[in-house]
Amino acid sequence: MKPLKHLPAWKTLEQHFKDMRAFDMRSAFREDAHRFEHLSLRCGNLLLDYSKNRVTPDTMRHLMQLARESDLEGMRNAMFSGERINFTERRAVLHTALRAPVRPPLVVEGMDVEREVAAVLKRMQRFVESIHNGSWRGHTGKPIRDVVNIGIGGSDLGPAMVCAALDHYALESVRVHFVSNLDPAHLAGTLKQLDPETTLFIVASKTFTTLETLANANSAKAWLLAALRAPAAVARHFVALSTNAQAVEAFGIDPDNMFIFWDWVGGRYSLWSAIGLSIALQIGWGNFQALLAGAHAMDIHFKEAPLEVNMPAILGMLGIWYANFWGTDTYGVFPYDQRLRLLVPFLQQLDMESNGKNVNRDNKLVNYNTGPILWGAPGTNGQHAFFELVHQGTRLIPTDFLVAAVNPTPLADQHEWLLANCLAQTEALLKGKSRAVIEAELIAQGMSRETAKALAPHKVFPGNRPSNTLLYQKLDPHTLGMLLALYEHKVFVQGVIWQINSFDQWGVELGKQLAPPIRAALSSVRAIGEHDGSTLGLITDIRRRRGLST
Ligand code: G6Q
């Protein structure tokens, strides 16, 4: 594999960047009346406006040339056809197969992926309907009213985010809760509101070995048994979503109440699989299917549209432009949509766990920056918190703004203000406000020339700061599916350019390995063991607080 920095397009971009250093978007808009048309793209009801970026059509051409030289198209086809592109775990990456409604037969290593997916979906549908129509009863014969998804990371963030995003589609018959943290406060706070007779626990764990999930699931089981006093109750109040049938059975969950998925579904890409059961329970089967269909529509777009008019490719390559040429470290995501309040934590995992890597596909350390630090919060809250730094700070921060054109709410006027604020922020980032204008305004307000001169620099907005706007009609299941798949593929695009494996996550292992000996050292049972000075100091302090010998 040719190193990234040796690719001809990389060299071209390095040269082009030198020409672009002084580029001013404001002049570009003045000079090209059609800049918006040239640098925006529609896919379904999604509009991506990327004209407020430090790019010219030439930049985009060079970036797409880099994508081609990086064999983005070949890698994309390899993913869709089930090649083992997650090479460190020797796995295919087929979350796209989970949402293809009419699938061409896809046989991967002897497994008929299409049939297996359809069979699990059918079982999920039957189960969801039995909860909704009340034919599934709890141990004492009452229908289920509350569902608790116990999972963490990929087995929590996706479904929790979707359930928050689509709460306006929630059926009234069940309420869905999410418990992830090992901190007992999370489970205890949730159980407080629940009646064991009408509660169903979904234990969501791909491996079924995850400490947090098993601890919470065991505590939930103990809570249930303490109330219902019959081991048989577990079968009516626990179901599992997993790839590990043996461990599920060992936990005491009836294999009939287990919904499987496969090792080719990565945790952070799993909301489309059985891990989405809580979503279907909240919004109903039809809406869950609409979510899958939206993602599939984006899959088709990503697979078929030429790179120049391919939304994930464009978003991904813009990120490369900023991270690797402008030297940006972070990337802000601001959904002007309260329902998308969990989108940023979801995207943090998607992006940072996928592309927070420093070794390439040739097993060598990379010599360029990879995944950015992704952060953000819903608008307009962010405006009253950290937007100061986005507008006036010393760092350049590429940003995405997401907003719905309409919001089916009776408080339509508030949505109008929300929309206006979203557009106003991207306009302010672009236009800025000059010292001369500010001084003139202050003087016109009656301020002395001298005071105005002193105050004006503090009020200057440099402008020329980049943003993408993703405008959608309204937040419905189909649109959300499209948006999420867009970000998944964007992350994929960047991983290909950076020549890394976006689908493993070895970086989460070490802390897990170090925890058990530390846990032992905190109690009186075992010797303290070998630790660095800081960790040793902390362990010793905890032991002292507990009255243990140190
Ligand atoms: C996601 C990661 C990780 C995983 C959790 C939960 O891509 O692999 O976040 O989802 O660690 O794992 P289990 O589902 O196996 O409990």
Side-chain angles (χ1 to χ4, degrees), residues 89 151-157 204-213 241-243 261 266-270 275 349 353-354 503-505 508 512:
E89 296 183 304
I152 195 164
S155 300
D156 167 72
L157 287 163
S205 177
K206 180 173 166 181
T207 56
F208 227 81
T209 57
T210 306
L211 169 71
E212 293 87 340
T213 301
L241 320 174
S242 189
T243 57
F261 56 112
R268 53 195 174 277
Y269 300 88
S270 64
I275 291 291
Q349 178 183 34
E353 197 167 58
S354 297
F503 298 102
D504 61 11
Q505 54 284 313
V508 302
K512 287 190 204 168

PDB file of all heavy atoms in Angstrom, residues 89 151-157 204-213 241-243 261 266-270 275 349 353-354 503-505 508 512, ligand 1:
ATOM      1  N   GLU A  89      -9.628  -8.314  13.396  1.00  0.00           N
ATOM      2  CA  GLU A  89     -10.521  -9.279  14.054  1.00  0.00           C
ATOM      3  C   GLU A  89     -11.003 -10.336  13.055  1.00  0.00           C
ATOM      4  O   GLU A  89     -11.851 -11.162  13.401  1.00  0.00           O
ATOM      5  CB  GLU A  89     -11.715  -8.544  14.681  1.00  0.00           C
ATOM      6  CG  GLU A  89     -11.303  -7.582  15.791  1.00  0.00           C
ATOM      7  CD  GLU A  89     -12.473  -6.889  16.480  1.00  0.00           C
ATOM      8  OE1 GLU A  89     -13.287  -6.240  15.781  1.00  0.00           O
ATOM      9  OE2 GLU A  89     -12.578  -6.990  17.700  1.00  0.00           O
ATOM     10  N   GLY A 151     -27.507  -2.396  28.756  1.00  0.00           N
ATOM     11  CA  GLY A 151     -26.392  -2.588  27.823  1.00  0.00           C
ATOM     12  C   GLY A 151     -25.475  -1.388  27.960  1.00  0.00           C
ATOM     13  O   GLY A 151     -25.812  -0.424  28.649  1.00  0.00           O
ATOM     14  N   ILE A 152     -24.350  -1.434  27.306  1.00  0.00           N
ATOM     15  CA  ILE A 152     -23.420  -0.292  27.396  1.00  0.00           C
ATOM     16  C   ILE A 152     -22.707  -0.130  26.057  1.00  0.00           C
ATOM     17  O   ILE A 152     -22.676  -1.068  25.255  1.00  0.00           O
ATOM     18  CB  ILE A 152     -22.420  -0.491  28.568  1.00  0.00           C
ATOM     19  CG1 ILE A 152     -21.709   0.833  28.910  1.00  0.00           C
ATOM     20  CG2 ILE A 152     -21.407  -1.592  28.262  1.00  0.00           C
ATOM     21  CD1 ILE A 152     -21.009   0.833  30.261  1.00  0.00           C
ATOM     22  N   GLY A 153     -22.162   1.047  25.820  1.00  0.00           N
ATOM     23  CA  GLY A 153     -21.437   1.314  24.571  1.00  0.00           C
ATOM     24  C   GLY A 153     -22.360   1.122  23.387  1.00  0.00           C
ATOM     25  O   GLY A 153     -23.480   1.634  23.361  1.00  0.00           O
ATOM     26  N   GLY A 154     -21.920   0.316  22.434  1.00  0.00           N
ATOM     27  CA  GLY A 154     -22.723   0.091  21.238  1.00  0.00           C
ATOM     28  C   GLY A 154     -24.059  -0.568  21.519  1.00  0.00           C
ATOM     29  O   GLY A 154     -24.990  -0.469  20.717  1.00  0.00           O
ATOM     30  N   SER A 155     -24.184  -1.224  22.661  1.00  0.00           N
ATOM     31  CA  SER A 155     -25.457  -1.881  22.987  1.00  0.00           C
ATOM     32  C   SER A 155     -26.381  -0.965  23.773  1.00  0.00           C
ATOM     33  O   SER A 155     -27.390  -1.412  24.317  1.00  0.00           O
ATOM     34  CB  SER A 155     -25.173  -3.162  23.781  1.00  0.00           C
ATOM     35  OG  SER A 155     -24.383  -4.036  23.006  1.00  0.00           O
ATOM     36  N   ASP A 156     -26.022   0.311  23.817  1.00  0.00           N
ATOM     37  CA  ASP A 156     -26.826   1.288  24.551  1.00  0.00           C
ATOM     38  C   ASP A 156     -26.971   2.607  23.778  1.00  0.00           C
ATOM     39  O   ASP A 156     -28.081   3.107  23.585  1.00  0.00           O
ATOM     40  CB  ASP A 156     -26.151   1.566  25.907  1.00  0.00           C
ATOM     41  CG  ASP A 156     -26.704   2.784  26.614  1.00  0.00           C
ATOM     42  OD1 ASP A 156     -27.833   2.700  27.106  1.00  0.00           O
ATOM     43  OD2 ASP A 156     -26.011   3.821  26.666  1.00  0.00           O
ATOM     44  N   LEU A 157     -25.831   3.155  23.342  1.00  0.00           N
ATOM     45  CA  LEU A 157     -25.850   4.522  22.805  1.00  0.00           C
ATOM     46  C   LEU A 157     -26.755   4.665  21.582  1.00  0.00           C
ATOM     47  O   LEU A 157     -27.483   5.662  21.461  1.00  0.00           O
ATOM     48  CB  LEU A 157     -24.423   4.955  22.446  1.00  0.00           C
ATOM     49  CG  LEU A 157     -23.526   5.252  23.648  1.00  0.00           C
ATOM     50  CD1 LEU A 157     -22.058   5.262  23.234  1.00  0.00           C
ATOM     51  CD2 LEU A 157     -23.893   6.585  24.283  1.00  0.00           C
ATOM     52  N   ALA A 204     -28.834  -6.489  26.625  1.00  0.00           N
ATOM     53  CA  ALA A 204     -28.269  -6.281  25.289  1.00  0.00           C
ATOM     54  C   ALA A 204     -26.762  -6.348  25.373  1.00  0.00           C
ATOM     55  O   ALA A 204     -26.119  -5.435  25.904  1.00  0.00           O
ATOM     56  CB  ALA A 204     -28.707  -4.914  24.760  1.00  0.00           C
ATOM     57  N   SER A 205     -26.191  -7.423  24.904  1.00  0.00           N
ATOM     58  CA  SER A 205     -24.730  -7.545  24.952  1.00  0.00           C
ATOM     59  C   SER A 205     -24.266  -8.508  23.867  1.00  0.00           C
ATOM     60  O   SER A 205     -24.590  -9.702  23.914  1.00  0.00           O
ATOM     61  CB  SER A 205     -24.285  -8.056  26.327  1.00  0.00           C
ATOM     62  OG  SER A 205     -22.885  -8.220  26.327  1.00  0.00           O
ATOM     63  N   LYS A 206     -23.517  -7.973  22.939  1.00  0.00           N
ATOM     64  CA  LYS A 206     -23.028  -8.808  21.841  1.00  0.00           C
ATOM     65  C   LYS A 206     -22.231  -9.990  22.396  1.00  0.00           C
ATOM     66  O   LYS A 206     -22.453 -11.129  22.027  1.00  0.00           O
ATOM     67  CB  LYS A 206     -22.158  -7.940  20.919  1.00  0.00           C
ATOM     68  CG  LYS A 206     -21.580  -8.657  19.743  1.00  0.00           C
ATOM     69  CD  LYS A 206     -20.885  -7.676  18.815  1.00  0.00           C
ATOM     70  CE  LYS A 206     -20.016  -8.405  17.821  1.00  0.00           C
ATOM     71  NZ  LYS A 206     -19.313  -7.495  16.908  1.00  0.00           N
ATOM     72  N   THR A 207     -21.317  -9.721  23.318  1.00  0.00           N
ATOM     73  CA  THR A 207     -20.455 -10.786  23.835  1.00  0.00           C
ATOM     74  C   THR A 207     -21.070 -11.511  25.023  1.00  0.00           C
ATOM     75  O   THR A 207     -20.705 -12.630  25.337  1.00  0.00           O
ATOM     76  CB  THR A 207     -19.127 -10.175  24.317  1.00  0.00           C
ATOM     77  OG1 THR A 207     -19.452  -9.164  25.294  1.00  0.00           O
ATOM     78  CG2 THR A 207     -18.347  -9.558  23.185  1.00  0.00           C
ATOM     79  N   PHE A 208     -21.958 -10.854  25.709  1.00  0.00           N
ATOM     80  CA  PHE A 208     -22.550 -11.326  26.961  1.00  0.00           C
ATOM     81  C   PHE A 208     -21.474 -11.623  28.010  1.00  0.00           C
ATOM     82  O   PHE A 208     -21.618 -12.510  28.851  1.00  0.00           O
ATOM     83  CB  PHE A 208     -23.451 -12.564  26.753  1.00  0.00           C
ATOM     84  CG  PHE A 208     -24.769 -12.416  27.466  1.00  0.00           C
ATOM     85  CD1 PHE A 208     -25.795 -11.681  26.905  1.00  0.00           C
ATOM     86  CD2 PHE A 208     -24.980 -12.960  28.730  1.00  0.00           C
ATOM     87  CE1 PHE A 208     -27.000 -11.502  27.572  1.00  0.00           C
ATOM     88  CE2 PHE A 208     -26.179 -12.788  29.403  1.00  0.00           C
ATOM     89  CZ  PHE A 208     -27.194 -12.057  28.817  1.00  0.00           C
ATOM     90  N   THR A 209     -20.422 -10.844  27.955  1.00  0.00           N
ATOM     91  CA  THR A 209     -19.364 -10.992  28.970  1.00  0.00           C
ATOM     92  C   THR A 209     -19.047  -9.626  29.585  1.00  0.00           C
ATOM     93  O   THR A 209     -18.132  -9.517  30.396  1.00  0.00           O
ATOM     94  CB  THR A 209     -18.059 -11.528  28.340  1.00  0.00           C
ATOM     95  OG1 THR A 209     -17.677 -10.625  27.297  1.00  0.00           O
ATOM     96  CG2 THR A 209     -18.204 -12.923  27.780  1.00  0.00           C
ATOM     97  N   THR A 210     -19.762  -8.592  29.184  1.00  0.00           N
ATOM     98  CA  THR A 210     -19.393  -7.237  29.592  1.00  0.00           C
ATOM     99  C   THR A 210     -19.737  -6.996  31.056  1.00  0.00           C
ATOM    100  O   THR A 210     -20.890  -7.185  31.481  1.00  0.00           O
ATOM    101  CB  THR A 210     -20.108  -6.219  28.674  1.00  0.00           C
ATOM    102  OG1 THR A 210     -19.780  -6.563  27.335  1.00  0.00           O
ATOM    103  CG2 THR A 210     -19.685  -4.798  28.963  1.00  0.00           C
ATOM    104  N   LEU A 211     -18.721  -6.583  31.798  1.00  0.00           N
ATOM    105  CA  LEU A 211     -18.846  -6.418  33.248  1.00  0.00           C
ATOM    106  C   LEU A 211     -20.074  -5.582  33.638  1.00  0.00           C
ATOM    107  O   LEU A 211     -20.902  -6.008  34.455  1.00  0.00           O
ATOM    108  CB  LEU A 211     -17.558  -5.736  33.768  1.00  0.00           C
ATOM    109  CG  LEU A 211     -17.581  -5.228  35.207  1.00  0.00           C
ATOM    110  CD1 LEU A 211     -17.568  -6.401  36.170  1.00  0.00           C
ATOM    111  CD2 LEU A 211     -16.388  -4.312  35.486  1.00  0.00           C
ATOM    112  N   GLU A 212     -20.188  -4.401  33.061  1.00  0.00           N
ATOM    113  CA  GLU A 212     -21.253  -3.477  33.446  1.00  0.00           C
ATOM    114  C   GLU A 212     -22.628  -4.096  33.216  1.00  0.00           C
ATOM    115  O   GLU A 212     -23.518  -4.047  34.072  1.00  0.00           O
ATOM    116  CB  GLU A 212     -21.164  -2.178  32.624  1.00  0.00           C
ATOM    117  CG  GLU A 212     -19.947  -1.326  32.897  1.00  0.00           C
ATOM    118  CD  GLU A 212     -18.744  -1.714  32.042  1.00  0.00           C
ATOM    119  OE1 GLU A 212     -18.704  -2.852  31.516  1.00  0.00           O
ATOM    120  OE2 GLU A 212     -17.830  -0.880  31.911  1.00  0.00           O
ATOM    121  N   THR A 213     -22.790  -4.678  32.033  1.00  0.00           N
ATOM    122  CA  THR A 213     -24.098  -5.202  31.650  1.00  0.00           C
ATOM    123  C   THR A 213     -24.476  -6.412  32.506  1.00  0.00           C
ATOM    124  O   THR A 213     -25.612  -6.522  32.971  1.00  0.00           O
ATOM    125  CB  THR A 213     -24.079  -5.565  30.147  1.00  0.00           C
ATOM    126  OG1 THR A 213     -23.759  -4.363  29.446  1.00  0.00           O
ATOM    127  CG2 THR A 213     -25.403  -6.107  29.671  1.00  0.00           C
ATOM    128  N   LEU A 241     -30.289  -9.988  23.836  1.00  0.00           N
ATOM    129  CA  LEU A 241     -29.852  -9.690  22.467  1.00  0.00           C
ATOM    130  C   LEU A 241     -28.363  -9.959  22.453  1.00  0.00           C
ATOM    131  O   LEU A 241     -27.605  -9.275  23.153  1.00  0.00           O
ATOM    132  CB  LEU A 241     -30.105  -8.215  22.132  1.00  0.00           C
ATOM    133  CG  LEU A 241     -31.422  -7.611  22.631  1.00  0.00           C
ATOM    134  CD1 LEU A 241     -31.459  -6.114  22.360  1.00  0.00           C
ATOM    135  CD2 LEU A 241     -32.602  -8.323  21.964  1.00  0.00           C
ATOM    136  N   SER A 242     -27.938 -10.962  21.710  1.00  0.00           N
ATOM    137  CA  SER A 242     -26.532 -11.349  21.825  1.00  0.00           C
ATOM    138  C   SER A 242     -26.079 -12.226  20.672  1.00  0.00           C
ATOM    139  O   SER A 242     -26.897 -12.725  19.893  1.00  0.00           O
ATOM    140  CB  SER A 242     -26.338 -12.107  23.151  1.00  0.00           C
ATOM    141  OG  SER A 242     -24.976 -12.306  23.399  1.00  0.00           O
ATOM    142  N   THR A 243     -24.765 -12.413  20.604  1.00  0.00           N
ATOM    143  CA  THR A 243     -24.209 -13.393  19.668  1.00  0.00           C
ATOM    144  C   THR A 243     -23.782 -14.654  20.442  1.00  0.00           C
ATOM    145  O   THR A 243     -23.333 -15.618  19.845  1.00  0.00           O
ATOM    146  CB  THR A 243     -22.945 -12.828  18.969  1.00  0.00           C
ATOM    147  OG1 THR A 243     -22.001 -12.466  19.976  1.00  0.00           O
ATOM    148  CG2 THR A 243     -23.256 -11.621  18.118  1.00  0.00           C
ATOM    149  N   PHE A 261     -27.587 -11.801  16.874  1.00  0.00           N
ATOM    150  CA  PHE A 261     -26.971 -11.144  15.722  1.00  0.00           C
ATOM    151  C   PHE A 261     -25.601 -11.771  15.525  1.00  0.00           C
ATOM    152  O   PHE A 261     -25.343 -12.839  16.087  1.00  0.00           O
ATOM    153  CB  PHE A 261     -26.997  -9.613  15.823  1.00  0.00           C
ATOM    154  CG  PHE A 261     -26.383  -8.979  17.032  1.00  0.00           C
ATOM    155  CD1 PHE A 261     -25.221  -8.224  16.926  1.00  0.00           C
ATOM    156  CD2 PHE A 261     -26.956  -9.096  18.284  1.00  0.00           C
ATOM    157  CE1 PHE A 261     -24.656  -7.595  18.028  1.00  0.00           C
ATOM    158  CE2 PHE A 261     -26.411  -8.483  19.398  1.00  0.00           C
ATOM    159  CZ  PHE A 261     -25.259  -7.734  19.273  1.00  0.00           C
ATOM    160  N   GLY A 266     -20.657  -4.724  14.072  1.00  0.00           N
ATOM    161  CA  GLY A 266     -19.860  -4.082  15.124  1.00  0.00           C
ATOM    162  C   GLY A 266     -20.786  -3.452  16.158  1.00  0.00           C
ATOM    163  O   GLY A 266     -21.890  -3.004  15.821  1.00  0.00           O
ATOM    164  N   GLY A 267     -20.337  -3.401  17.412  1.00  0.00           N
ATOM    165  CA  GLY A 267     -21.188  -2.857  18.477  1.00  0.00           C
ATOM    166  C   GLY A 267     -21.754  -1.491  18.145  1.00  0.00           C
ATOM    167  O   GLY A 267     -22.955  -1.251  18.264  1.00  0.00           O
ATOM    168  N   ARG A 268     -20.901  -0.573  17.677  1.00  0.00           N
ATOM    169  CA  ARG A 268     -21.371   0.794  17.407  1.00  0.00           C
ATOM    170  C   ARG A 268     -22.189   0.900  16.123  1.00  0.00           C
ATOM    171  O   ARG A 268     -22.662   1.982  15.792  1.00  0.00           O
ATOM    172  CB  ARG A 268     -20.187   1.765  17.415  1.00  0.00           C
ATOM    173  CG  ARG A 268     -19.037   1.391  16.512  1.00  0.00           C
ATOM    174  CD  ARG A 268     -17.783   2.200  16.864  1.00  0.00           C
ATOM    175  NE  ARG A 268     -16.612   1.783  16.127  1.00  0.00           N
ATOM    176  CZ  ARG A 268     -15.827   0.758  16.455  1.00  0.00           C
ATOM    177  NH1 ARG A 268     -16.107   0.012  17.499  1.00  0.00           N
ATOM    178  NH2 ARG A 268     -14.753   0.465  15.736  1.00  0.00           N
ATOM    179  N   TYR A 269     -22.297  -0.211  15.406  1.00  0.00           N
ATOM    180  CA  TYR A 269     -23.108  -0.245  14.178  1.00  0.00           C
ATOM    181  C   TYR A 269     -24.315  -1.168  14.362  1.00  0.00           C
ATOM    182  O   TYR A 269     -24.887  -1.650  13.388  1.00  0.00           O
ATOM    183  CB  TYR A 269     -22.251  -0.747  13.003  1.00  0.00           C
ATOM    184  CG  TYR A 269     -21.056   0.132  12.735  1.00  0.00           C
ATOM    185  CD1 TYR A 269     -19.845  -0.075  13.384  1.00  0.00           C
ATOM    186  CD2 TYR A 269     -21.151   1.223  11.864  1.00  0.00           C
ATOM    187  CE1 TYR A 269     -18.752   0.763  13.169  1.00  0.00           C
ATOM    188  CE2 TYR A 269     -20.071   2.058  11.639  1.00  0.00           C
ATOM    189  CZ  TYR A 269     -18.874   1.819  12.300  1.00  0.00           C
ATOM    190  OH  TYR A 269     -17.801   2.652  12.080  1.00  0.00           O
ATOM    191  N   SER A 270     -24.673  -1.440  15.641  1.00  0.00           N
ATOM    192  CA  SER A 270     -25.605  -2.546  15.865  1.00  0.00           C
ATOM    193  C   SER A 270     -27.056  -2.144  16.102  1.00  0.00           C
ATOM    194  O   SER A 270     -27.906  -3.001  16.288  1.00  0.00           O
ATOM    195  CB  SER A 270     -25.117  -3.409  17.044  1.00  0.00           C
ATOM    196  OG  SER A 270     -25.123  -2.671  18.243  1.00  0.00           O
ATOM    197  N   ILE A 275     -30.213  -5.509  18.443  1.00  0.00           N
ATOM    198  CA  ILE A 275     -29.955  -4.471  19.459  1.00  0.00           C
ATOM    199  C   ILE A 275     -31.006  -3.353  19.349  1.00  0.00           C
ATOM    200  O   ILE A 275     -31.250  -2.618  20.304  1.00  0.00           O
ATOM    201  CB  ILE A 275     -28.506  -3.920  19.306  1.00  0.00           C
ATOM    202  CG1 ILE A 275     -27.492  -5.003  19.703  1.00  0.00           C
ATOM    203  CG2 ILE A 275     -28.264  -2.642  20.100  1.00  0.00           C
ATOM    204  CD1 ILE A 275     -27.448  -5.369  21.183  1.00  0.00           C
ATOM    205  N   GLN A 349     -18.868   8.006  19.939  1.00  0.00           N
ATOM    206  CA  GLN A 349     -18.424   6.613  19.869  1.00  0.00           C
ATOM    207  C   GLN A 349     -18.174   6.209  18.417  1.00  0.00           C
ATOM    208  O   GLN A 349     -17.129   5.638  18.085  1.00  0.00           O
ATOM    209  CB  GLN A 349     -19.437   5.651  20.485  1.00  0.00           C
ATOM    210  CG  GLN A 349     -18.916   4.212  20.318  1.00  0.00           C
ATOM    211  CD  GLN A 349     -19.824   3.136  20.819  1.00  0.00           C
ATOM    212  OE1 GLN A 349     -21.038   3.256  20.738  1.00  0.00           O
ATOM    213  NE2 GLN A 349     -19.247   2.072  21.321  1.00  0.00           N
ATOM    214  N   GLU A 353     -14.266   5.960  18.315  1.00  0.00           N
ATOM    215  CA  GLU A 353     -13.874   4.561  18.496  1.00  0.00           C
ATOM    216  C   GLU A 353     -13.481   3.952  17.145  1.00  0.00           C
ATOM    217  O   GLU A 353     -12.658   3.048  17.080  1.00  0.00           O
ATOM    218  CB  GLU A 353     -15.007   3.755  19.141  1.00  0.00           C
ATOM    219  CG  GLU A 353     -14.533   2.437  19.727  1.00  0.00           C
ATOM    220  CD  GLU A 353     -15.552   1.778  20.631  1.00  0.00           C
ATOM    221  OE1 GLU A 353     -16.687   1.505  20.175  1.00  0.00           O
ATOM    222  OE2 GLU A 353     -15.243   1.524  21.808  1.00  0.00           O
ATOM    223  N   SER A 354     -14.081   4.478  16.087  1.00  0.00           N
ATOM    224  CA  SER A 354     -13.755   3.921  14.762  1.00  0.00           C
ATOM    225  C   SER A 354     -12.422   4.449  14.247  1.00  0.00           C
ATOM    226  O   SER A 354     -11.602   3.691  13.727  1.00  0.00           O
ATOM    227  CB  SER A 354     -14.866   4.267  13.761  1.00  0.00           C
ATOM    228  OG  SER A 354     -16.074   3.671  14.148  1.00  0.00           O
ATOM    229  N   PHE A 503     -12.946  -0.564  12.246  1.00  0.00           N
ATOM    230  CA  PHE A 503     -13.949  -1.471  12.813  1.00  0.00           C
ATOM    231  C   PHE A 503     -13.464  -2.293  14.004  1.00  0.00           C
ATOM    232  O   PHE A 503     -14.196  -3.126  14.508  1.00  0.00           O
ATOM    233  CB  PHE A 503     -14.518  -2.361  11.698  1.00  0.00           C
ATOM    234  CG  PHE A 503     -15.197  -1.535  10.644  1.00  0.00           C
ATOM    235  CD1 PHE A 503     -14.582  -1.254   9.435  1.00  0.00           C
ATOM    236  CD2 PHE A 503     -16.442  -0.971  10.893  1.00  0.00           C
ATOM    237  CE1 PHE A 503     -15.201  -0.449   8.486  1.00  0.00           C
ATOM    238  CE2 PHE A 503     -17.068  -0.170   9.957  1.00  0.00           C
ATOM    239  CZ  PHE A 503     -16.441   0.098   8.744  1.00  0.00           C
ATOM    240  N   ASP A 504     -12.227  -2.064  14.444  1.00  0.00           N
ATOM    241  CA  ASP A 504     -11.826  -2.721  15.692  1.00  0.00           C
ATOM    242  C   ASP A 504     -11.793  -1.674  16.796  1.00  0.00           C
ATOM    243  O   ASP A 504     -12.116  -0.491  16.580  1.00  0.00           O
ATOM    244  CB  ASP A 504     -10.491  -3.461  15.527  1.00  0.00           C
ATOM    245  CG  ASP A 504      -9.343  -2.527  15.157  1.00  0.00           C
ATOM    246  OD1 ASP A 504      -9.515  -1.299  15.236  1.00  0.00           O
ATOM    247  OD2 ASP A 504      -8.260  -3.027  14.787  1.00  0.00           O
ATOM    248  N   GLN A 505     -11.444  -2.053  18.004  1.00  0.00           N
ATOM    249  CA  GLN A 505     -11.420  -1.114  19.129  1.00  0.00           C
ATOM    250  C   GLN A 505     -10.493  -1.644  20.224  1.00  0.00           C
ATOM    251  O   GLN A 505     -10.881  -1.762  21.369  1.00  0.00           O
ATOM    252  CB  GLN A 505     -12.827  -0.832  19.685  1.00  0.00           C
ATOM    253  CG  GLN A 505     -13.677  -2.045  20.100  1.00  0.00           C
ATOM    254  CD  GLN A 505     -14.269  -2.782  18.941  1.00  0.00           C
ATOM    255  OE1 GLN A 505     -14.836  -2.176  18.048  1.00  0.00           O
ATOM    256  NE2 GLN A 505     -14.107  -4.105  18.930  1.00  0.00           N
ATOM    257  N   VAL A 508      -9.748  -0.060  23.876  1.00  0.00           N
ATOM    258  CA  VAL A 508     -10.577  -0.086  25.087  1.00  0.00           C
ATOM    259  C   VAL A 508     -10.183  -1.248  26.004  1.00  0.00           C
ATOM    260  O   VAL A 508     -10.760  -1.413  27.079  1.00  0.00           O
ATOM    261  CB  VAL A 508     -12.097  -0.163  24.748  1.00  0.00           C
ATOM    262  CG1 VAL A 508     -12.519   1.012  23.886  1.00  0.00           C
ATOM    263  CG2 VAL A 508     -12.448  -1.474  24.077  1.00  0.00           C
ATOM    264  N   LYS A 512      -9.603  -2.368  30.889  1.00  0.00           N
ATOM    265  CA  LYS A 512     -10.412  -3.507  31.362  1.00  0.00           C
ATOM    266  C   LYS A 512      -9.510  -4.544  32.035  1.00  0.00           C
ATOM    267  O   LYS A 512      -9.879  -5.155  33.029  1.00  0.00           O
ATOM    268  CB  LYS A 512     -11.123  -4.188  30.187  1.00  0.00           C
ATOM    269  CG  LYS A 512     -12.284  -3.419  29.608  1.00  0.00           C
ATOM    270  CD  LYS A 512     -13.031  -4.342  28.639  1.00  0.00           C
ATOM    271  CE  LYS A 512     -13.798  -3.589  27.596  1.00  0.00           C
ATOM    272  NZ  LYS A 512     -14.286  -4.443  26.526  1.00  0.00           N
TER     273      LYS A 512
HETATM  274  C1  G6Q B   1     -18.598  -0.881  20.055  1.00  0.00           C
HETATM  275  C2  G6Q B   1     -17.758  -1.411  21.095  1.00  0.00           C
HETATM  276  C3  G6Q B   1     -18.330  -1.325  22.496  1.00  0.00           C
HETATM  277  C4  G6Q B   1     -19.331  -2.419  22.829  1.00  0.00           C
HETATM  278  C5  G6Q B   1     -19.555  -2.426  24.341  1.00  0.00           C
HETATM  279  C6  G6Q B   1     -20.587  -3.428  24.771  1.00  0.00           C
HETATM  280  O1  G6Q B   1     -18.321  -0.887  18.884  1.00  0.00           O
HETATM  281  O2  G6Q B   1     -17.352  -2.687  20.768  1.00  0.00           O
HETATM  282  O3  G6Q B   1     -18.894  -0.088  22.784  1.00  0.00           O
HETATM  283  O4  G6Q B   1     -20.516  -2.212  22.147  1.00  0.00           O
HETATM  284  O5  G6Q B   1     -18.346  -2.669  24.990  1.00  0.00           O
HETATM  285  O6  G6Q B   1     -20.218  -4.700  24.383  1.00  0.00           O
HETATM  286  P1  G6Q B   1     -21.226  -5.906  24.460  1.00  0.00           P
HETATM  287  O7  G6Q B   1     -22.363  -5.613  23.548  1.00  0.00           O
HETATM  288  O8  G6Q B   1     -20.459  -7.117  24.056  1.00  0.00           O
HETATM  289  O9  G6Q B   1     -21.713  -5.978  25.887  1.00  0.00           O
END
